[in-house]
Amino acid sequence: CSGEYPMQRFRARKVVEPPKGDFPMEPLTLMETSLCDKKPPTECIMSMWTVWTPCTATCGGQSERNRDIDIENSPPACKLDLTKLEGGALDELKTYLKEIRPCGQQHCMDVVESELSEWSQWTSCSRKCELGTTERSREIIKEGSGGLGSGLALKEVKGCMTDCGETDCKWGEWDSWSACSCSCAGGTKRRNRVIVQAPRHGGEMCDPMDKSEVAPCNTQSCELCVDGAWGAWSHWSKCSASCG
């Protein structure tokens, strides 16, 4: 029997050989239940205990569970009026309907917060003239009972942007002239310049200007020019006559 009122007993059977062919099997009962004792109970019938409640504290707490008297199935004497019970009888009944047990019995110690250093200075922004990050940190000087830092932050990070101001566009100086493309009869030479500073953060754009220049060179003729020149006088010839 089950041991709980009303006490019951059970019996069961199973199919050991299923029907085959055209022989149907009528529906049969596979389990039967009957009472063990039909006499009325002489003691109060109690319900099942409830689940233990959560511990009231992580250190030195308690948990409890409860049960009730099954008034419907218990003898009339179990129908108690709790308002008429006093002193030890009431305490005994409370103990009978409630159980309390200790919990959270791990070693309890006074919580001492960790000692931290002051925050360091914020670091330089990770990017210049753009959105970047900066951070600061602190260290544990003395560890408390709650563990390293006790959940306190040891590093902080925030966004930053360096104010670089406006920068205007700027042309560079002209390069030196290149060598002449011809040594005579007219050639060309070139020179260039570039923008050395692009505008930033709303600065002025560069004025439209020439980036390259070409100039003529070695325009002289390739033929050799020679000035005229007289040669030296020869000796005088003999006189054409000896007299007159």
Side-chain angles (χ1 to χ4, degrees), residues 97-117:
L97 298 178
K98 178 186 292 187
E99 283 187 348
I100 299 176
R101 68 179 181 182
C103 57
Q105 295 301 304
Q106 67 270 25
H107 178 63
C108 299
M109 59 183 176
D110 294 334
V111 177
V112 179
E113 293 185 358
S114 298
E115 184 178 350
L116 303 177
S117 65

Side-chain angles (χ1 to χ4, degrees), residues 151-169:
L152 299 175
L154 298 179
K155 179 178 289 187
E156 289 184 341
V157 180
K158 67 177 182 179
C160 59
M161 178 177 289
T162 306
D163 183 13
C164 296
E166 296 180 357
T167 303
D168 295 336
C169 180

